[in-house]
Amino acid sequence: MRRGLAIFLIINALIVAWLVRSVYTLLTLLVEDGSADAIHSAEIPAPNSPLIDNMPQYIPKIIHQTYVNESVPEVWREAQRSCVDLHEDYEYKMWTDAKSRELIATEYPWFLNTFDNYSQPIQRADAIRYFVLAHFGGIYIDLDDGCNRRLDPLLSYPAWVRRTAPTGISNDAMGAIPQHPFFLTVIESLRAYDKNWHLPYITVMYSTGPLFLSVIWKEYMSSGRNIGDGAGGGRVRILMMDEYNRFPWSFFSHHKGSSWHGKDARLIFWMGSHWMMLTAMGFLFAGVVGLGAWWVCGRVVLLGQRRNKRREGGVWERAMGWSWRGGKGGYELVERHEV
């Protein structure tokens, strides 16, 4: 029985270790707040402050956005116009589906097959933003993000992304110098994460979306490359929520968006808002399964022991001419008849 218990505990420990290792980066994201690399309010001069002119400029003055074609829907034109009008001295690049594919085919042919075979159009929209930042540098902005002020202070960091809730980073606003090591790592990782998780929302989020980017960011920090703030630095700074869009002095304002979300997204959002209850239910379920497995294992071991004893007892009885009569009589000699 003790041997069976030991085997059972070892098998369960190995399964738990494998599961923890498989989701270790996701687990560490739950406690990662990005504060060590935050762009603090004190670092950012007020809009139109002369201090902005004294800040170094590493990121080129380019604004990138993506859409199917050049005809941006009316619902996003105000947000788009706010960024264009505030940055007349910036180059503006609208990456349509055709232009995006042309860039990949010309500059990154090794990725073209993956790019063409994405099941969701938003995956191509996600991927191209990483490639254009790695290739040209500049600032990428989603069409549902408007600009509250000029983005010049954000040009002073070799790379930046924004913090999102409840954890990790998002890919709707980010900037970088050309060939920044973080975004090179991102584009190199896309093929390995190209997996179908059956739910479109999960597939998008973990193959090209914010969850994918967050995992790569966490692994990038763990690799020791997240250092250096100068022109050749590898550090990725984090634009926190206050500086992102919560106040009139924040850089961005949010407009209606998320047009790609489907019915499965509502399920994921509901799960996110009830994560404590679902976690408790998960532990309860795991406990019930564990107890059930232990009971089954115990029964199998017990039955095996009983069968072995009966088999050994039967051999001895036949050899010695004894048999079990039960009751108070115990063993008695039984006459054997030779046939």
Side-chain angles (χ1 to χ4, degrees):
M1 189 68 176
R2 290 179 180 177
R3 182 182 178 186
L5 175 61
I7 294 174
F8 174 79
L9 292 177
I10 291 172
I11 291 174
N12 277 271
L14 291 174
I15 292 173
V16 170
W18 178 80
L19 290 173
V20 169
R21 184 180 181 277
S22 299
V23 298
Y24 178 76
T25 303
L26 292 175
L27 292 175
T28 57
L29 275 175
L30 296 175
V31 295
E32 178 61 64
D33 60 6
S35 59
D37 299 301
I39 300 174
H40 299 287
S41 300
E43 299 179 47
I44 303 172
N48 303 316
S49 169
L51 294 176
I52 295 176
D53 296 331
N54 298 326
M55 299 180 72
Q57 177 194 325
Y58 301 126
I59 295 178
K61 290 184 174 181
I62 306 173
I63 290 177
H64 302 276
Q65 294 192 299
T66 64
Y67 192 61
V68 177
N69 51 48
E70 301 283 354
S71 302
V72 176
E74 183 66 33
V75 68
W76 292 326
R77 287 181 188 172
E78 180 184 354
Q80 179 197 31
R81 183 51 53 189
S82 69
C83 292
V84 173
D85 290 347
L86 276 172
H87 302 89
E88 294 181 349
D89 56 329
Y90 282 51
E91 182 181 0
Y92 181 79
K93 291 180 176 289
M94 171 59 75
W95 292 95
T96 64
D97 286 358
K99 291 179 180 178
S100 298
R101 191 182 187 282
E102 181 181 0
L103 175 70
I104 298 298
T106 303
E107 301 291 342
Y108 304 96
W110 53 267
F111 189 70
L112 185 61
N113 184 61
T114 302
F115 189 79
D116 284 342
N117 285 289
Y118 277 133
S119 61
Q120 305 291 327
I122 185 61
Q123 292 174 284
R124 285 184 281 276
D126 280 337
I128 194 61
R129 66 190 68 181
Y130 306 135
F131 278 97
V132 298
L133 288 181
H135 191 83
F136 298 100
I139 294 176
Y140 172 82
I141 309 170
D142 262 2
L143 282 172
D144 55 356
D145 277 319
C147 294
N148 273 341
R149 53 177 290 184
R150 282 182 63 88
L151 305 177
D152 296 344
L154 296 178
L155 303 179
S156 301
Y157 307 101
W160 59 270
V161 291
R162 81 161 182 93
R163 179 82 163 82
T164 191
T167 187
I169 58 177
S170 185
N171 65 354
D172 53 0
M174 49 192 177
I177 61 174
Q179 303 296 299
H180 190 278
F182 172 65
F183 282 98
L184 291 178
T185 301
V186 171
I187 64 175
E188 289 169 0
S189 302
L190 282 166
R191 287 193 296 182
Y193 280 78
D194 180 27
K195 295 180 175 62
N196 186 348
W197 297 94
H198 302 293
L199 290 175
Y201 186 81
I202 295 296
T203 297
V204 171
M205 290 290 285
Y206 201 46
S207 65
T208 59
L211 184 55
F212 157 77
L213 189 66
S214 297
V215 169
I216 302 303
W217 168 62
K218 186 63 180 175
E219 292 176 347
Y220 180 79
M221 289 192 292
S222 300
S223 71
R225 292 178 290 168
N226 192 44
I227 56 174
D229 288 315
R235 190 180 181 190
V236 179
R237 300 297 298 272
I238 307 300
L239 187 68
M240 305 303 276
M241 296 299 295
D242 286 356
E243 290 72 31
Y244 169 57
N245 71 352
R246 284 182 174 171
F247 299 100
W249 49 264
S250 301
F251 284 101
F252 300 98
S253 59
H254 189 68
H255 297 244
K256 183 179 179 181
S258 300
S259 59
W260 62 274
H261 290 175
K263 292 181 180 179
D264 60 323
R266 291 195 289 272
L267 171 62
I268 303 302
F269 291 149
W270 180 87
M271 292 172 65
S273 62
H274 297 82
W275 68 272
M276 291 187 67
M277 178 190 71
L278 293 174
T279 301
M281 291 175 62
F283 278 110
L284 179 62
F285 177 76
V288 171
V289 171
L291 288 174
W294 166 240
W295 183 84
V296 170
C297 181
R299 296 297 296 176
V300 170
V301 172
L302 185 59
L303 289 173
Q305 291 176 342
R306 288 179 177 175
R307 288 176 180 174
N308 287 336
K309 287 181 179 179
R310 289 174 181 172
R311 189 178 299 114
E312 292 170 0
V315 171
W316 175 256
E317 291 164 5
R318 287 192 297 270
M320 300 299 298
W322 292 86
S323 66
W324 178 254
R325 292 300 190 188
K328 296 181 180 179
Y331 283 100
E332 64 179 23
L333 186 60
V334 179
E335 181 182 0
R336 292 189 297 178
H337 299 277
E338 299 296 340
V339 179

